[in-house]
């Protein structure tokens, strides 16, 4: 029983009860895709991948060759905010990059 002008508060006994109506599935990660372009030299793209992501020369070269041969490569993943920053940094170096939700389960 509550006093007039007050509200009774019911506290759930478990976390599951508390979150019952909320979607608690983890958000799919986002990915950053670099697209092939006719402007940037391959050595330059390798250098950018090393500088922006700290990748080894071997990994940066492998990703650059994937961009060159397949037209695109996933170069980074994470939260939307992190991927937006990565895309902006790549744009700052003149690369064509986009982000999207990862389709992998």
């Amino acid at each position: 029983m509550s006093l007039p002008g007050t509200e009774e508060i019911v506290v759930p006994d478990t976390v599951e009860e508390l979150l019952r109506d909320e979607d608690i599935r983890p958000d799919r990660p986002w990915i950053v895709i670099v697209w092939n372009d006719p402007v940037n030299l391959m050595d330059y793209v390798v250098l950018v991948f090393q500088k922006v992501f700290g990748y080894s020369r071997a990994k940066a070269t492998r990703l650059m060759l994937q961009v060159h041969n397949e037209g695109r490569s996933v170069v980074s993943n994470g939260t939307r905010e992190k991927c937006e920053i990565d895309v902006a940094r790549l744009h700052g170096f003149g690369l064509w990059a986009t982000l999207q939700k990862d389709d992998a389960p």
Side-chain angles (χ1 to χ4, degrees):
M1 179 171 176
S2 53
L3 299 172
T6 63
E7 179 181 335
E8 184 176 345
I9 298 174
V10 178
V11 178
D13 292 328
T14 64
V15 171
E16 291 79 17
E17 204 176 308
L18 176 66
L19 301 176
R20 169 181 31 223
D21 297 329
E22 292 186 34
D23 182 4
I24 57 173
R25 292 175 294 174
D27 191 19
R28 288 186 319 216
W30 290 75
I31 56 174
V32 174
I33 301 169
V34 171
W35 301 89
N36 195 25
D37 67 63
V39 178
N40 294 298
L41 299 174
M42 291 189 274
D43 286 339
Y44 177 71
V45 174
V46 170
L47 181 68
V48 171
F49 290 167
Q50 288 180 285
K51 185 168 184 80
V52 171
F53 301 112
Y55 293 154
S56 67
R57 181 154 183 83
K59 181 172 183 171
T61 300
R62 183 173 45 79
L63 292 170
M64 175 278 298
L65 287 172
Q66 188 175 25
V67 171
H68 180 72
N69 294 323
E70 299 174 25
R72 63 178 252 169
S73 180
V74 175
V75 297
S76 154
N77 64 36
T79 65
R80 181 179 179 133
E81 293 78 15
K82 177 196 173 294
C83 289
E84 287 173 345
I85 291 168
D86 290 346
V87 167
R89 292 179 71 200
L90 291 165
H91 287 174
F93 284 98
L95 299 186
W96 293 354
T98 58
L99 73 148
Q100 69 182 42
K101 278 202 170 194
D102 190 2
D103 293 332

